[in-house]
Amino acid sequence: MIREWRFLRSLSVKHWRHILRNLSSAEINLMLVWLGLAIAASLFLASYDFWVLKAPAPDSGGSYSEAVVGEPHYLNPLLASSNEADRDLTTLIFSGLVKHNEQGEIVPDLAESYKVSNDGKTYEFILKPNLLWPDGEPFTSDDVVFTVNLIKDPKYQSPLKNNWQGVKAEKVDERKVVIRLPVEYTPFLENATVGILPKHLWSQVQPQNFLLTQLNIKPVGLGQYQVRKITKNAAGSIRSLELSPNPNYPEKANIQRLIVRFYENQEDVINAYRRRQIDGFALSSAREMDDLKPSLNLYRLKLPRYFAVFFNQDKSPALKEANVRQALAYAADRDGIVREILKSEAQTQYGPFPHGLLSIKEPDQKYEFNLEKAENVLEKNKWKRSEESGLREKKLSGDKNPSPLELTLTTTDWPELTQVASILKRDWEKIGVRVNLDVVPVAAVQSQIIRPREYQALLFGEVLGLNPDPFSFWHTTQRKDPGLNLALYSDKRVDGLLETARQNATADERVVKYERFQNILMDDAPAVFIYSPNYIYAVSNKVKGIAAEAVNTPSQRFENINKWYIETKRVRK
């Protein structure tokens, strides 16, 4: 057969003309039929091979651009926790011992495996072999021990320091490191997601230069991407970072060109989207969905956060009274807020745990919307309406004259929160409370309001974590900065429950302790819990492979970006 095929191929056009002239019409027609059948069979086999025997699979290539509100300052995982832009970028550029999968579960990352001792105090990590930093130096357990010690050292001013107090990291060999805790701490593996720094570079940086070194802007990490290009404006502010896949990461990313663009506010982000400058961004409000085009896919990620009004009783004599706080809780129309402001893209929140976490039940005391009940609570506690002003007033301790029931509600200039604050003001004024709104720029709220605790009532959000540990939000020791106890709450019973729930407690025991904790908390009403919103993430439909379902923080949407892809190829099934 091969000999015959070679013979046919050797025939020239002249030979074929001679052959065809000597064939009859019937013979030519028969030959054409056979030729047609051969071509059809070839096409069928090629199509069968392409469409049936092969399936589309991710391929390397493509470009993706995402918008982030803010500007990077410290591309350093030890310093990034207070800045969204920093958190997003360090998630892309650095890797920790472990990370989260698409379901929010902890899985190995730079570690090949890990195991936990029976007493829950010792964690043994085996590192993946043959990993190299971008400059060719090997990644070893020395880097892990160095990073942990850097976090713990107060001279380096890491915001993560409190999470690592008393923790000791020990090198066993080049690939084995042991981390010992002073007491059992169930959510510890969440801490182990922190990005690891290269010791051979950072050990040369003195503490006084830790915040100033160029390594904070030109980072060297073992994450999925590495910085390729930084673009600044005339004033020196970073406007975009271009990243490319890190060839040293164990699973190379598919998208070859990743651009993160920075904008001052969400309005600028929406305008950039309309000008087709970006392919993806996070929505700041459900109302933005109305303006999105069909070319975007919306991903609703479970994010364990809630928004609440936190009362600072030290700044308001009236708020020291539990009945006032309870009345304000009854007069908050959560359903109306979720419906009007959030377009039902949120769940009403009645306690300190977003719905579904650890299967914790809702608190016994829910403070459902009831203006009549709110008024009755105030009447019963001698807060009477003034005939002149219509405000409720009462003689407080040490006052000669009645004091009006008045408070200042502080929040950020994030449009969604200012709208929520306006509804709360409307409802609270219905029960005779004068409410003054204080709207602060997002960029200033941490330094000017939260850290010095300069507010009477603060409408703000907190992210709890998929494996919740509310210690830093409600324990007495966390009332001052850098603690996150925004209500400056203190109760010995609650302290004990929070301490034991994170130590020596099974999952079922933790649930019992947390349910007891939230019932005590809700009786005291140090805060009014309002809603838990969906995290809505809009991405061009050219991008495939996004499968995240739950994240602890928005930046974790990037933890599995190596599985995203734009280009495809067909491979054998």
Side-chain angles (χ1 to χ4, degrees):
M1 183 69 181
I2 296 175
R3 187 180 304 135
E4 286 83 351
W5 174 246
R6 287 176 179 170
F7 169 73
L8 291 173
R9 290 183 60 187
S10 69
L11 297 177
S12 66
V13 174
K14 182 178 180 181
H15 289 132
W16 279 108
R17 286 176 179 171
H18 178 74
I19 292 171
L20 291 173
R21 277 198 295 266
N22 288 280
L23 291 176
S24 66
S25 297
E27 289 172 328
I28 291 175
N29 289 335
L30 180 62
M31 186 178 72
L32 291 174
V33 169
W34 280 107
L35 180 61
L37 289 173
I39 292 172
S42 297
L43 291 174
F44 171 78
L45 291 173
S47 299
Y48 183 82
D49 179 71
F50 187 81
W51 295 108
V52 179
L53 299 181
K54 293 181 179 179
D59 196 10
S60 175
S63 176
Y64 173 71
S65 177
E66 178 155 329
V68 172
V69 175
E71 180 186 350
H73 299 291
Y74 301 110
L75 301 186
N76 178 340
L78 277 60
L79 300 171
S81 61
S82 60
N83 182 298
E84 182 178 355
D86 291 342
R87 290 196 302 268
D88 284 351
L89 288 163
T90 53
T91 301
L92 291 165
I93 299 167
F94 293 87
S95 287
L97 293 171
V98 294
K99 68 176 184 176
H100 303 86
N101 63 15
E102 290 89 343
Q103 291 73 45
E105 302 164 334
I106 292 287
V107 295
D109 194 4
L110 296 181
E112 184 176 70
S113 63
Y114 67 87
K115 62 181 180 180
V116 187
S117 64
N118 292 334
D119 64 3
K121 297 181 183 180
T122 304
Y123 291 73
E124 181 181 287
F125 295 91
I126 305 298
L127 307 183
K128 288 178 178 175
N130 305 319
L131 292 183
L132 300 176
W133 294 101
D135 58 6
E137 287 292 316
F139 166 68
T140 71
S141 54
D142 287 321
D143 300 304
V144 179
V145 174
F146 172 78
T147 301
V148 172
N149 289 337
L150 215 61
I151 294 172
K152 292 166 49 183
D153 191 335
K155 294 194 296 292
Y156 291 90
Q157 304 176 52
S158 171
L160 306 178
K161 180 170 65 72
N162 287 343
N163 293 336
W164 292 83
Q165 290 302 303
V167 176
K168 295 182 180 179
E170 303 170 4
K171 174 183 176 180
V172 177
D173 57 40
E174 295 298 297
R175 289 185 52 211
K176 184 175 180 180
V177 61
V178 172
I179 297 180
R180 305 184 193 280
L181 313 186
V183 295
E184 181 181 4
Y185 176 49
T186 305
F188 170 74
L189 283 173
E190 293 291 341
N191 295 348
T193 62
V194 65
I196 303 299
L197 298 178
K199 177 183 177 180
H200 66 283
L201 296 178
W202 282 95
S203 61
Q204 302 173 35
V205 178
Q206 297 301 311
Q208 64 269 24
N209 297 323
F210 189 64
L211 302 179
L212 307 173
T213 174
Q214 281 290 99
L215 287 170
N216 287 323
I217 296 298
K218 297 180 179 179
V220 177
L222 253 179
Q224 300 169 83
Y225 280 86
Q226 55 190 8
V227 177
R228 180 179 177 184
K229 180 181 179 183
I230 300 175
T231 302
K232 298 182 180 181
N233 61 15
S237 297
I238 297 176
R239 294 295 84 200
S240 70
L241 258 72
E242 183 176 330
L243 302 101
S244 59
N246 182 357
N248 296 314
Y249 187 71
E251 301 175 50
K252 188 178 178 182
N254 296 300
I255 298 176
Q256 288 299 292
R257 187 166 177 255
L258 176 62
I259 303 171
V260 183
R261 303 186 187 279
F262 307 102
Y263 299 90
E264 291 186 5
N265 51 56
Q266 189 71 8
E267 183 179 356
D268 290 344
V269 170
I270 298 299
N271 289 334
Y273 160 67
R274 289 171 179 160
R275 292 192 298 267
R276 300 184 178 181
Q277 294 177 343
I278 55 174
D279 301 310
F281 60 98
L283 275 63
S284 68
S285 169
R287 292 178 178 271
E288 293 171 2
M289 293 190 300
D290 295 337
D291 298 325
L292 301 183
K293 299 175 183 177
S295 59
L296 287 176
N297 289 329
L298 294 181
Y299 297 90
R300 292 169 172 84
L301 309 184
K302 295 178 183 176
L303 182 63
R305 62 174 172 173
Y306 57 75
F307 287 85
V309 177
F310 301 93
F311 298 128
N312 183 349
Q313 299 174 38
D314 293 344
K315 297 293 184 179
S316 169
L319 290 175
K320 287 184 179 293
E321 296 192 11
N323 61 80
V324 170
R325 304 192 300 271
Q326 291 164 356
L328 293 170
Y330 279 123
D333 185 5
R334 299 164 181 80
D335 290 332
I337 288 171
V338 167
R339 184 176 57 254
E340 294 177 37
I341 307 301
L342 297 142
K343 300 189 70 172
S344 300
E345 289 286 348
Q347 295 77 45
T348 52
Q349 186 78 19
Y350 291 100
F353 294 100
H355 180 71
L357 284 183
L358 297 182
S359 299
I360 297 170
K361 295 185 297 187
E362 288 191 331
D364 295 339
Q365 174 59 275
K366 290 178 63 174
Y367 297 107
E368 293 180 302
F369 182 56
N370 190 324
L371 290 177
E372 183 179 354
K373 200 165 188 176
E375 297 224 53
N376 290 339
V377 169
L378 294 175
E379 285 286 341
K380 183 179 178 181
N381 289 276
K382 301 179 181 180
W383 285 97
K384 304 296 182 181
R385 279 190 184 269
S386 166
E387 293 182 0
E388 295 179 3
S389 65
L391 296 177
R392 293 191 177 273
E393 55 184 26
K394 173 183 175 180
K395 282 187 178 181
L396 298 174
S397 178
D399 289 347
K400 294 181 179 179
N401 300 313
S403 297
L405 184 48
E406 181 177 7
L407 63 86
T408 297
L409 177 59
T410 302
T411 193
T412 71
D413 58 1
W414 186 19
E416 183 177 285
L417 286 184
T418 56
Q419 293 168 26
V420 171
S422 295
I423 288 185
L424 290 172
K425 172 181 170 68
R426 179 196 68 190
D427 291 338
W428 288 348
E429 288 183 341
K430 289 177 182 177
I431 63 171
V433 182
R434 176 183 287 151
V435 180
N436 306 303
L437 291 185
D438 177 25
V439 179
V440 179
V442 172
V445 71
Q446 286 285 348
S447 60
Q448 296 179 17
I449 304 298
I450 292 178
R451 285 175 184 160
R453 303 298 197 253
E454 286 295 332
Y455 53 86
Q456 292 183 350
L458 175 68
L459 173 59
F460 202 66
E462 290 185 333
V463 179
L464 195 58
L466 295 170
N467 186 8
D469 178 20
F471 181 93
S472 60
F473 301 117
W474 300 107
H475 195 273
T476 299
T477 60
Q478 304 299 302
R479 288 179 297 174
K480 295 182 179 180
D481 183 70
L484 298 174
N485 186 344
L486 301 182
L488 285 76
Y489 184 70
S490 179
D491 185 286
K492 291 183 179 180
R493 296 168 299 168
V494 163
D495 289 348
L497 290 167
L498 295 177
E499 290 164 9
T500 56
R502 61 187 347 211
Q503 305 165 9
N504 306 315
T506 65
D508 290 341
E509 289 171 340
R510 288 179 71 203
V511 169
V512 170
K513 292 175 186 294
Y514 285 152
E515 288 177 350
R516 287 176 57 196
F517 145 67
Q518 75 171 348
N519 284 332
I520 295 171
L521 188 77
M522 296 310 294
D523 286 341
D524 289 342
V528 178
F529 299 93
I530 311 293
Y531 64 95
S532 176
N534 297 331
Y535 179 72
I536 307 174
Y537 185 42
V539 181
S540 168
N541 56 20
K542 74 176 183 181
V543 181
K544 306 293 190 296
I546 301 176
E549 298 177 7
V551 292
N552 275 309
T553 62
S555 62
Q556 287 179 11
R557 69 191 184 277
F558 288 138
E559 282 191 301
N560 296 284
I561 195 173
N562 60 294
K563 296 180 181 179
W564 298 12
Y565 63 96
I566 296 173
E567 303 295 336
T568 60
K569 59 184 177 182
R570 299 193 74 86
V571 297
R572 291 281 178 183
K573 291 182 179 178

